[in-house]
Amino acid sequence: MRTIRNLHEMRAYSRQARRAGSTLGFVPTMGALHEGHLSLVRQSVARCNVTVASIFINPAQFGENEDLAVYPVDLENDRDLLKRAGADVLFLPTAADIYPPGFKTHVTVSDVTARLCGKSRPMFFRGVITVVLKLLNIVEPDTAFFGEKDRQQLEVVKTMVRDLNLDVAIASGPIVREADGLAMSSRNRYLSEADRVSALCLSRALSAASQRVRAGEVTAENLRREMLGIIQKEGRAEVDYISVCDPRSFEEKETIGDEALIALAVKIGGTRLIDNCIVGGKKK
Amino acid sequence: MRTIRNLHEMRAYSRQARRAGSTLGFVPTMGALHEGHLSLVRQSVARCNVTVASIFINPAQFGENEDLAVYPVDLENDRDLLKRAGADVLFLPTAADIYPPGFKTHVTVSDVTARLCGKSRPMFFRGVITVVLKLLNIVEPDTAFFGEKDRQQLEVVKTMVRDLNLDVAIASGPIVREADGLAMSSRNRYLSEADRVSALCLSRALSAASQRVRAGEVTAENLRREMLGIIQKEGRAEVDYISVCDPRSFEEKETIGDEALIALAVKIGGTRLIDNCIVGGKKK
């Protein structure tokens, strides 16, 4: 596996690969890799001739009081994991190259970003979308892969790609969970032993809600109330949002209908965790 | 000259041309073409193997009380002019294809867009930058050409291209003027005979200021005052801005220094006209 840090070298590599007839898959990450990331890398390796994974902790998507300064870095282990998953290139741009002095262009997607994570993290999606567009322009992949744990991010990226006429396919992979149900996340590394136990309330709330939908519940408010009850039983948990919404627009729903997204953001001992699932008739 | 309306057909044409080893020049316009546009087309024809010119009256860059509804359309004449200037393709996308239902992505460039034209037309640059990015993504040119009459637009496009890592060169062409000095503009068609005479105050003010700089004037405020005097002599003229500023940041200057941009926006009988020139030691 080759490591490329320079932006021009990255683009030259991609073009060379495409000229040679290869298809190119791209998995953008912030490192501290887990099975969720690696499942996307493997999907790319299975579908594309060449797979590029990037690690870039994007300062623009962190708020002032968020965890940029302590975000986990584990480059040697990440490199090893990517290599074993079959990635061909690790793209490691520097913040100085991505945001040179005088940088002042931003991409925004309206509406969706005012809801769920966009509401509690007002600069988050602007930062994500702008850096994703930059990385897509540098790497020029045929397909880029995003995890469904960040489902709102996935939808916002799809919207940006369509609206800006980018010629790239966006693929996604399902949430990968620990044996006990906790959705994998780089931020799980922050959890103390007690936090780790409490953190199960997210997946437990989602399971309970899904089960009620399968049993015939159609009223969104009943599901929200049930989930809130499960989470409030955990002393260490602080709800950011509990949403039963449209999976594309993220508007809150009154009834489940054909398809609904149930999404949660909960702080456990100071660590903000998210999780989600799709429920309803047209179950994905 | 071929006319292409479909976005996918346009991209397929460009790729085919590049696969055949051609370089591609692109001149985006809103039609109602004049010598300013055509000089850019000729520049592209001279420098690139294939030249694409687009005509798209972009609703997103017009404010609510601006002239979108009456913006001049002269397609048959435009087609003829482009053909004679040597363009290979006229790209004529529809508003429905450029802004499909649910469109919600916007690109902004901060700072520069708060000054000069950005100040009096708050949505203008967001609309310009977003559509330029879309057109660049569809046409995929090697070089795109912009006129220096819209100098702020030119700088904002360059900033966007650099910040978003687009692989396209931005070239520009000088302002083309009528014999009496009026900068060519599609909006000159709005001018009555009396307006047409009054409109000369813009180029007259710029000439006077340039001459004073050549004669040793270094104080920006003196230049602004002189230009204001010249324009206020015209009863039909209403000043939007008179600026002596940095040619990159558009921050107002106190002294001319190595290089300054003198830029004007003036309404003549209701028609908003702009003009500019570069002055100073390092004269372009």
Side-chain angles (χ1 to χ4, degrees), chain A residues 42 224 240 245 257 280:
Chain A
R42 285 189 212 104
R224 290 188 202 102
D240 178 355
C245 62

Side-chain angles (χ1 to χ4, degrees), chain B residues 138-277:
Chain B
I138 296 163
V139 177
E140 296 183 347
D142 298 283
T143 307
F145 297 81
F146 294 83
E148 289 172 10
K149 184 165 76 65
D150 302 287
R151 185 171 279 277
Q152 199 183 6
Q153 170 179 285
L154 171 64
E155 286 302 324
V156 172
V157 167
K158 281 183 187 169
T159 302
M160 183 269 286
V161 163
R162 184 202 61 194
D163 283 357
L164 297 182
N165 307 96
L166 298 182
D167 190 30
V168 59
I170 301 300
S172 68
I175 297 177
V176 179
R177 297 179 182 281
E178 304 286 355
D180 59 7
L182 181 69
M184 292 203 185
S185 164
S186 304
R187 290 189 168 96
N188 290 349
R189 301 186 185 203
Y190 297 149
L191 301 172
S192 70
E193 229 170 292
D195 291 340
R196 179 65 185 73
V197 175
S198 295
L200 291 174
C201 70
L202 281 88
S203 52
R204 206 184 306 132
L206 289 177
S207 293
S210 300
Q211 228 167 325
R212 279 192 64 163
V213 172
R214 279 195 297 274
E217 179 66 74
V218 296
T219 305
E221 195 48 36
N222 292 343
L223 299 174
R224 289 188 202 101
R225 202 176 313 119
E226 163 134 17
M227 291 189 282
L228 184 63
I230 290 171
I231 287 161
Q232 282 180 333
K233 268 190 215 148
E234 292 298 332
R236 314 176 77 79
E238 184 195 328
V239 172
D240 179 355
Y241 63 77
I242 295 178
S243 174
V244 179
C245 63
D246 181 274
R248 238 71 51 192
S249 72
F250 308 104
E251 279 182 275
E252 288 303 313
K253 284 195 151 201
E254 290 193 9
T255 55
I256 295 300
D258 280 344
E259 194 183 48
L261 169 67
I262 306 187
L264 305 167
V266 178
K267 276 196 176 172
I268 306 285
T271 299
R272 189 174 178 281
L273 301 176
I274 59 174
D275 202 348
N276 72 79
C277 67

